Amino acid sequence: MTYLDDNNRLVTAPEPRWITSPKRLRVFFGGAPIVDSTRANLFRGGGPPVYYFPKDDVQQGALTVTGRTETNARGTMSLYDVRVGERSAEGAAWEYTETADDMPFLAGMLSFRWNEMDAWYEEEEEVFVHAKDPFKRIEAFRSARHVEVFAEGEKVADSTSPMVLLEPGHPLRFYLPKMDVRMELLRSSETVSRCPYKGKAGYYNVETESGLLEDAAWCYKYPTTEVAGVAGLVCFFNERVDAIHVDGEELEKPVTNWRR
């Protein structure tokens, strides 16, 4: 087994798929905690992890049966509307009434669409975007490797003091000091992304005489403590720029959802 998969992304831990979380979990909707549980289970089935809760830990009266069902590879789900006061979210909760043979643990547990809820808390810490995977460890460390970035026919960055970020499920990333980036070619874009592990990122377009490359780079101004070392540094999408060279060798382009 190697660090990288066939798409040049760091591999993730495949097992276990279903674990009982030791954390207190609360889900807020309509100004109230509709879930308060110390018996939550985390399903790691590929993609973002998903929390499932015993029915007894969900506020009575918060869910309304819709009569609608959906079927996927994991089984058949019954959908619920979530209602608190005048607030409602249609089909925002579900329960597996039938499961695939290898997933009986899903039966009878309730889960919620993350973005439809007001807030999620693990103990006293708010969690954004999706549940965190306890088996996903992110590393950010200083390096002295020579990193050059080429975009739209120009060398836009040249650094020998990058921060290297290792994140399972993602390509290797090099974060560069702004002093080593031709910031006069970068234009702040309106794009923003959020990550439960790293925080909120702002994006840059690269503009040269040859053209405009949209959302080619990003920066975490105030990252989480896990990756505090990348604060204020600029990272370029290997998938979008012309090329990234490390110690004189061009990196192979990974296949991701951000592919140019």
Side-chain angles (χ1 to χ4, degrees):
M1 185 173 181
T2 66
Y3 263 109
L4 302 176
D5 64 14
D6 293 339
N7 288 328
N8 250 17
R9 299 175 300 188
L10 271 74
V11 297
T12 57
E15 298 291 345
R17 286 194 299 172
W18 182 255
I19 55 175
T20 300
S21 175
K23 303 172 184 177
R24 179 190 181 193
L25 271 296
R26 284 173 294 164
V27 182
F28 286 78
F29 183 79
I34 61 170
V35 178
D36 191 340
S37 180
T38 57
R39 301 181 296 164
N41 286 274
L42 191 66
F43 179 57
R44 303 172 66 248
V50 179
Y51 277 121
Y52 284 83
F53 304 96
K55 290 182 179 179
D56 291 345
D57 294 345
V58 178
Q59 179 182 312
Q60 188 174 2
L63 302 184
T64 302
V65 176
T66 67
R68 302 193 306 274
T69 62
E70 291 183 2
T71 301
N72 56 37
R74 297 167 186 168
T76 299
M77 303 183 296
S78 291
L79 302 182
Y80 295 86
D81 293 341
V82 182
R83 298 184 186 277
V84 175
E86 297 182 356
R87 288 283 308 283
S88 65
E90 294 185 0
W94 69 88
E95 171 192 2
Y96 278 98
T97 53
E98 297 180 15
T99 67
D101 291 342
D102 61 340
M103 298 186 186
F105 45 78
L106 292 175
M109 304 290 284
L110 289 169
S111 191
F112 299 80
R113 291 180 185 165
W114 191 282
N115 292 333
E116 299 268 357
M117 302 297 102
D118 294 342
W120 294 68
Y121 279 82
E122 295 178 347
E123 299 292 345
E124 300 306 310
E125 298 287 340
E126 187 172 2
V127 182
F128 301 93
V129 186
H130 60 72
K132 292 184 178 181
D133 187 338
F135 298 94
K136 180 171 180 174
R137 180 174 182 266
I138 299 180
E139 294 183 82
F141 49 89
R142 290 178 295 174
S143 173
R145 301 178 76 175
H146 185 197
V147 178
E148 300 168 284
V149 182
F150 301 86
E152 296 299 299
E154 298 270 1
K155 181 188 284 191
V156 297
D158 191 329
S159 180
T160 55
S161 54
M163 286 288 294
V164 183
L165 192 139
L166 291 173
E167 181 179 3
H170 296 267
L172 188 70
R173 299 297 192 188
F174 292 89
Y175 286 74
L176 311 178
K178 289 182 178 178
M179 292 184 63
D180 297 338
V181 177
R182 293 181 62 187
M183 296 301 295
E184 75 275 11
L185 299 179
L186 271 58
R187 308 283 184 264
S188 294
S189 90
E190 295 182 357
T191 302
V192 172
S193 69
R194 292 173 175 82
C195 171
Y197 305 102
K198 302 187 294 293
K200 178 181 176 181
Y203 285 72
Y204 294 103
N205 302 328
V206 175
E207 185 174 13
T208 72
E209 293 182 358
S210 301
L212 179 69
L213 184 57
E214 295 184 351
D215 294 338
W218 70 92
C219 175
Y220 289 97
K221 190 174 182 180
Y222 302 110
T224 64
T225 55
E226 293 174 275
V227 293
V230 306
L233 305 185
V234 177
C235 187
F236 290 85
F237 278 109
N238 188 10
E239 306 93 306
R240 293 190 175 183
V241 298
D242 297 344
I244 295 179
H245 292 181
V246 177
D247 292 336
E249 294 190 11
E250 182 176 349
L251 292 181
E252 185 176 345
K253 291 187 181 296
V255 178
T256 71
N257 292 333
W258 293 99
R259 191 69 187 254
R260 184 181 178 184

